[in-house]
Amino acid sequence: MEKLLIVDDNKQIGSILEEYAKKEGYQTIIATDGEEAIRKFEEEKPDIILLDVMMPKKDGFSVCREIRLTSNVPIIMITARGEDFEKIMGLEIGADDYIVKPFSPGEVMARIRAIMRRIVREEKQEQLFIYDNLTISLDHYTVIVNDDLVPLTKKEIEILWTLATAKNKVFSRENLLNSLWGYDYLGDDRTVDSHIKRLRAKLMKYEHPTWDIKTIWGVGYKFGVIADEKK
């Protein structure tokens, strides 16, 4: 039975989500503040996390950052505020999805199902990609360039994997949103642009003269192989 960690200081919301999650077949774990969330994450090793942003002791952003130091467990962040900068911040520090209160428990469960289906699909695929000085492993969620481990978030690794394993294919922002965030993701394509920008900034610290992430203006992005472009 898969474990779901529900982190929310509103006990009523936590109770409702727990009830729905149990109907979906999840073993539920409850935490009501950020410090308890970290402790239960370490003790219980959940398969997915619902994480409220505004909490006592440690907010959801701090909890997400700390978890991402050691784990790529799927995280859906929940907040009462819907400002774009908060959504972007949550996704950039490693959250997989973002839900704004008020929400329906059914919507939350649909988001969980979408993420878990995607994980199952990914596990069935080839998990290692090598091109020149670039190695991407989805088994370990690591990216290595010139023998150096590149500190990327889970979503940044997934974006690089998607582009690199289909070299020179152009992906629109909508393509990337649908394949990496799911068809029922309610965000917009600025999320993709923000992740690409941060991914490029991190890769720029390492020499990679034979490949790069290219912008195709008005269309989207691709993993460009320099040798192919010179032909």
Side-chain angles (χ1 to χ4, degrees):
M1 182 181 295
E2 291 172 318
K3 295 181 180 180
L4 169 63
L5 173 58
I6 300 170
V7 187
D8 200 309
D9 62 331
N10 186 317
K11 293 184 179 180
Q12 183 178 8
I13 291 177
S15 178
I16 292 171
L17 290 172
E18 181 179 28
E19 179 181 350
Y20 273 76
K22 285 182 176 179
K23 290 179 181 178
E24 294 278 335
Y26 284 92
Q27 176 183 341
T28 57
I29 308 147
I30 303 294
T32 56
D33 64 62
E35 291 183 357
E36 184 182 17
I38 293 295
R39 185 172 68 255
K40 290 196 172 179
F41 161 74
E42 293 173 345
E43 293 172 353
E44 300 288 345
K45 301 294 188 293
D47 298 287
I48 189 167
I49 300 172
L50 290 176
L51 179 60
D52 191 25
V53 171
M54 302 302 294
M55 293 185 297
K57 298 185 180 180
K58 280 188 178 183
D59 64 29
F61 295 132
S62 299
V63 172
C64 184
R65 287 191 188 96
E66 192 164 337
I67 289 174
R68 281 291 173 258
L69 293 174
T70 60
S71 173
N72 288 308
V73 61
I75 297 174
I76 300 176
M77 301 198 77
I78 300 174
T79 183
R81 297 184 294 182
E83 288 90 342
D84 285 344
F85 80 90
E86 282 201 347
K87 296 179 184 179
I88 291 170
M89 181 186 296
L91 294 168
E92 285 185 345
I93 64 176
D96 295 87
D97 204 348
Y98 208 103
I99 296 177
V100 179
K101 297 176 184 176
F103 54 78
S104 72
E107 176 193 358
V108 178
M109 294 303 115
R111 299 286 187 95
I112 291 174
R113 288 195 298 271
I115 288 174
M116 299 309 287
R117 283 197 303 268
R118 188 166 68 246
I119 289 172
V120 170
R121 289 198 303 269
E122 289 169 355
E123 288 176 347
K124 293 179 180 179
Q125 297 172 353
E126 178 62 37
Q127 300 293 296
L128 183 67
F129 172 83
I130 300 174
Y131 177 78
D132 195 43
N133 64 343
L134 171 67
T135 300
I136 310 171
S137 170
L138 282 192
D139 288 324
H140 304 289
Y141 266 88
T142 56
V143 170
I144 296 173
V145 178
N146 293 324
D147 298 323
D148 293 319
L149 182 65
V150 185
L152 301 180
T153 67
K154 179 176 182 289
K155 195 60 69 178
E156 289 164 354
I157 292 172
E158 290 174 351
I159 290 172
L160 184 58
W161 172 274
T162 300
L163 296 175
T165 54
K167 70 173 186 173
N168 289 325
K169 176 181 176 180
V170 179
F171 288 82
S172 69
R173 293 167 179 82
E174 184 179 1
N175 290 153
L176 293 171
L177 275 175
N178 289 340
S179 62
L180 296 176
W181 279 267
Y183 285 94
D184 47 7
Y185 175 68
L186 300 179
D188 57 40
D189 56 16
R190 285 177 297 178
T191 296
V192 174
D193 293 338
S194 178
H195 278 75
I196 292 285
K197 181 179 179 180
R198 291 175 64 86
L199 174 58
R200 280 174 166 161
K202 293 178 181 179
L203 291 173
M204 282 294 292
K205 298 177 182 178
Y206 307 87
E207 291 186 4
H208 53 280
T210 62
W211 56 270
D212 203 358
I213 298 175
K214 301 288 187 179
T215 298
I216 308 301
W217 297 108
V219 183
Y221 301 98
K222 73 173 184 177
F223 181 87
V225 175
I226 309 302
D228 292 347
E229 294 175 356
K230 292 180 178 179
K231 291 179 181 179

